[in-house]
Amino acid sequence: MASDDISQLAEALSNTHVGDGELSYKGLGLKLDTAESVEEMVHEIQQYPGLRALHLEGNTLGVEAAQAIAKALESKALLQRCYWSDMFTGRLRSEIPTALRSLGNALMGAGARLTELYLSDNAFGPDGVKGIEQLLKSPSCHTLRELRLNNCGIGIGGGKILAGALMECHRQSSALGAPFKLRVFVAGRNRLENEGASALAKAFQLMGSLEEVHMPQNGINYAGVTALASAIQQNPDIRVLNLNDNTFTKKGTLAMAEALRHLRNIQVINFGDCLVRSEGAIALTAVLREGLPILKELNLSFGEITEAAALVVAQAVMDKPHMERLDLNGNCLGEEGCEALREAMENMDKGDLLGSLSDDEGEPDDDDVDQEEDEERADVDEGGGCCEDEIGITQIKACPAQSPPEIMSFVRCPTVEKLLQLGEMRTRLQHQVSEAEPNQAVDVFLNIASLYREDPEAKAVVLETTDALMKKLLSGSALHSSCFISSLLVRMGLLKGEEGKVRKALLVPGQLLCLEHAVQQEWFPQHHASLLHTFISRNAGAPTSCSSAREKLSSTLVRLCSNQH
């Protein structure tokens, strides 16, 4: 080693932090290639009694230097915390696993019991995971509480190796009577994708001890998100959940909303840039209303959420006493929508919680609606219902098994006459709907509601039947009832649905009048009435037909919401 290099190293080492069982060479920018280059560092490590934490981040280690440091660690049985992020800049990827194995073998040989292992920003890929695989399986990691592997390029293969190592660690530690209880897992920017995330989900489910999960920017879509959701609900102590910049869409968001119902300790949720969209946002608000008692931060930025859905989110956080920040930036509110959201938050005395809206994407473009469909809606008779071949009826493709033939006949081709003829059998129509199939439930409701007539007998029977159906659908969990209301909004043309096959219904007045009757009943949740009011008031003219029925529904909702406040 040249004398200049030695003097430079000596000067850098003079800045070493020593104390409280901790030895730090953090951020010195040292290029350590050979055993000679780390001679003084090795001496300090060897001479440090009771070493519990070693910072090597911000330097770059070659294989020979790593092996020399490893030799010094062979006697450090008390070492618990290894801060080894950003430690291989400029190194060949083939060098890194060898260096990591040397360090890992030293820790295992020393009998160290780690609690924290930081290896972020090392870009070592799947091979790097192989370099720490044996360490993670060993007794040295049975006590591990924090594992940080952010921005390491792990990939799908590395994710599977990592998951396997964590599960083996849990198996071995459990056999010894002290199960592995990892609390903090960080693995953002690793290209894990669905397969890697799903593999790790199995490990998470097995451990059940996680308190923080950070997995942003991993190319995970709804399949991987769903797997993670199933695992997360088995970790009831989670406080922080960061899945920013993955792709939830509706399926993933619903799965994650279901998982959140089980988490009473969560304080920070970051689903920003996850394509949650409006339907997903509504599902999450149902969980907000039902639980999450100590939530502090909610990030739903850049999720293609529209103004009405954003307002519903704002209303849902109103009663969260610990709330500190709501991020809805980068959505599709439009200038007026941003102002309406700010005003709503101010009116609830929560204005200081709302983050910036400077990156709002503006109002979404209207769907391309066929001109003939518009004209067909406009031509609906304000006073009439419809018969089986007219506007308002949606064919139901399947009935539950063993339904009576009269019920099957009515569901497939509903008419007022058939409904009246069912008599007491009408109560069985409730069996035709399930909270698990909200789209079909909405179609059944709308089909029966389309039979509404001013004839007293027909009117009474239709209202009784639609009320019974809706009461059943809204009596379950807040999440399931919210999914039904969302599906209803989609069919009414008030909310853009994600599933392309779900078409806007060609509404008739009776459907809105049945809904208007239902919202006034004691069993109809006030927050759902508020949700309907928000969407109808923010969609001027929609639904485009049935103007007088729409006005009656709107007026009733305004009255109910005013009474609520």
Side-chain angles (χ1 to χ4, degrees):
M1 191 178 206
S3 58
D4 288 346
D5 293 335
I6 294 174
S7 61
Q8 183 181 1
L9 176 58
E11 183 181 351
L13 291 176
S14 68
N15 297 319
T16 299
H17 170 71
V18 178
D20 301 324
E22 184 171 309
L23 191 56
S24 177
Y25 303 95
K26 180 179 179 179
L28 298 181
L30 302 173
K31 189 173 186 295
L32 306 171
D33 298 319
T34 64
E36 184 184 9
S37 69
V38 293
E39 200 169 83
E40 188 171 344
M41 183 185 294
V42 165
H43 178 73
E44 288 187 353
I45 293 172
Q46 289 173 332
Q47 296 302 310
Y48 193 102
L51 182 64
R52 285 177 169 79
L54 178 61
H55 290 263
L56 295 175
E57 65 266 53
N59 300 290
T60 175
L61 270 65
V63 172
E64 189 178 330
Q67 290 172 338
I69 293 172
K71 187 70 176 176
L73 294 176
E74 289 177 354
S75 61
K76 301 301 175 182
L78 298 179
L79 185 61
Q80 297 176 330
R81 305 188 304 278
C82 297
Y83 303 108
W84 296 348
S85 299
D86 188 20
M87 207 167 64
F88 298 108
T89 300
R91 301 295 171 181
L92 296 175
R93 181 167 289 189
S94 59
E95 293 181 82
I96 300 174
T98 304
L100 288 171
R101 284 192 190 95
S102 297
L103 294 167
N105 288 339
L107 296 174
M108 291 185 283
R113 294 294 183 265
L114 299 183
T115 58
E116 299 176 23
L117 180 59
Y118 286 35
L119 288 166
S120 295
D121 301 315
N122 277 314
F124 48 47
D127 290 341
V129 181
K130 293 177 183 177
I132 59 172
E133 183 179 7
Q134 294 307 313
L135 172 63
L136 290 174
K137 291 178 179 180
S138 75
S140 288
C141 284
H142 289 183
T143 51
L144 192 65
R145 296 295 178 261
E146 295 188 23
L147 178 60
R148 297 176 184 264
L149 293 162
N150 202 58
N151 190 32
C152 287
I154 288 172
I156 294 171
K160 291 180 178 179
I161 296 168
L162 177 59
L166 295 176
M167 288 190 285
E168 180 62 18
C169 182
H170 186 273
R171 188 191 69 79
Q172 291 187 20
S173 60
S174 296
L176 295 173
F180 174 44
K181 293 183 178 180
L182 189 68
R183 293 174 184 162
V184 178
F185 180 81
V186 181
R189 300 185 65 188
N190 272 303
R191 302 192 303 275
L192 293 170
E193 301 182 15
N194 289 336
E195 291 184 60
S198 296
L200 286 166
K202 293 178 182 178
F204 296 167
Q205 188 157 350
L206 185 65
M207 292 184 292
S209 56
L210 289 167
E211 296 177 10
E212 294 187 26
V213 175
H214 301 263
M215 296 175 67
Q217 202 172 341
N218 269 299
I220 308 168
N221 66 28
Y222 76 87
V225 171
T226 299
L228 288 171
S230 296
I232 283 166
Q233 65 182 338
Q234 302 301 320
N235 288 261
D237 294 326
I238 283 186
R239 295 180 294 103
V240 179
L241 181 58
N242 177 8
L243 294 173
N244 188 285
D245 198 8
N246 290 291
T247 307
F248 283 26
T249 60
K250 179 180 177 181
K251 290 181 180 178
T253 308
L254 291 180
M256 199 56 69
E258 178 63 37
L260 290 173
R261 293 180 61 210
H262 301 267
L263 305 181
R264 303 289 296 176
N265 297 311
I266 197 159
Q267 298 177 23
V268 178
I269 297 173
N270 187 344
F271 294 163
D273 206 8
C274 284
L275 215 58
V276 165
R277 295 190 172 126
S278 295
E279 282 188 275
I282 292 172
L284 292 171
T285 61
V287 181
L288 278 168
R289 293 184 182 280
E290 192 178 46
L292 312 184
I294 59 173
L295 186 67
K296 292 182 178 180
E297 297 182 22
L298 176 62
N299 184 344
L300 297 178
S301 60
F302 299 93
E304 294 189 4
I305 297 170
T306 58
E307 175 191 354
L311 289 170
V312 171
V313 173
Q315 293 163 6
V317 303
M318 178 176 61
D319 297 325
K320 296 300 172 189
H322 302 283
M323 199 72 183
E324 297 175 358
R325 180 174 175 78
L326 173 64
D327 191 347
L328 289 167
N329 196 20
N331 283 297
C332 302
L333 311 185
E335 187 174 340
E336 292 183 4
C338 288
E339 186 57 38
L341 180 59
R342 292 190 191 97
E343 183 178 344
M345 294 292 287
E346 290 290 347
N347 290 341
M348 294 184 288
D349 198 26
K350 301 284 186 180
D352 57 326
L353 305 186
L354 185 63
S356 170
L357 299 174
S358 60
D359 295 318
D360 187 73
E361 296 287 339
E363 294 183 59
D365 294 333
D366 293 334
D367 290 336
D368 293 327
V369 180
D370 187 83
Q371 182 65 30
E372 293 181 4
E373 185 174 292
D374 280 344
E375 292 173 358
E376 191 173 19
R377 285 197 182 97
D379 288 340
V380 176
D381 179 10
E382 279 287 331
C386 67
C387 62
E388 55 214 272
D389 294 321
E390 291 180 345
I391 299 167
I393 295 291
T394 300
Q395 185 174 357
I396 306 299
K397 296 181 179 179
C399 293
Q402 299 179 339
S403 295
E406 297 90 341
I407 294 288
M408 295 178 69
S409 174
F410 172 78
V411 170
R412 289 171 178 166
C413 188
T415 66
V416 174
E417 292 73 19
K418 288 181 180 180
L419 184 63
L420 293 171
Q421 290 169 5
L422 286 175
E424 293 183 0
M425 199 180 293
R426 284 192 294 272
T427 58
R428 294 182 137 185
L429 287 171
Q430 296 180 43
H431 302 311
Q432 308 302 307
V433 297
S434 167
E435 61 183 19
E437 295 289 344
N439 290 334
Q440 180 162 320
V442 166
D443 286 341
V444 172
F445 169 79
L446 291 177
N447 282 357
I448 297 174
S450 71
L451 305 178
Y452 179 94
R453 299 286 191 277
E454 287 303 330
D455 171 72
E457 183 181 13
K459 178 179 178 179
V461 169
V462 170
L463 289 176
E464 177 188 343
T465 307
T466 54
D467 277 1
L469 283 173
M470 188 165 281
K471 184 177 181 180
K472 174 188 176 181
L473 291 164
L474 299 183
S475 64
S477 72
L479 179 57
H480 285 127
S481 63
S482 175
C483 289
F484 170 75
I485 295 295
S486 289
S487 296
L488 180 60
L489 290 171
V490 172
R491 296 288 278 134
M492 291 174 68
L494 299 172
L495 174 63
K496 181 179 179 181
E498 185 173 295
E499 299 164 350
K501 295 180 180 179
V502 179
R503 300 285 294 168
K504 296 178 185 178
L506 302 179
L507 296 178
V508 294
Q511 294 164 328
L512 300 184
L513 294 174
C514 286
L515 182 57
E516 188 266 344
H517 183 269
V519 299
Q520 299 179 74
Q521 308 309 307
E522 290 185 359
W523 46 261
F524 196 96
Q526 288 187 334
H527 61 270
H528 285 331
S530 177
L531 190 154
L532 287 168
H533 169 60
T534 298
F535 272 85
I536 288 177
S537 64
R538 297 288 159 179
N539 286 269
T544 54
S545 61
C546 325
S547 58
S548 64
R550 178 190 183 281
E551 183 58 35
K552 185 175 182 180
L553 171 60
S554 182
S555 297
T556 298
L557 290 170
V558 169
R559 174 173 55 81
L560 291 172
C561 292
S562 298
N563 292 340
Q564 182 180 348
H565 296 308

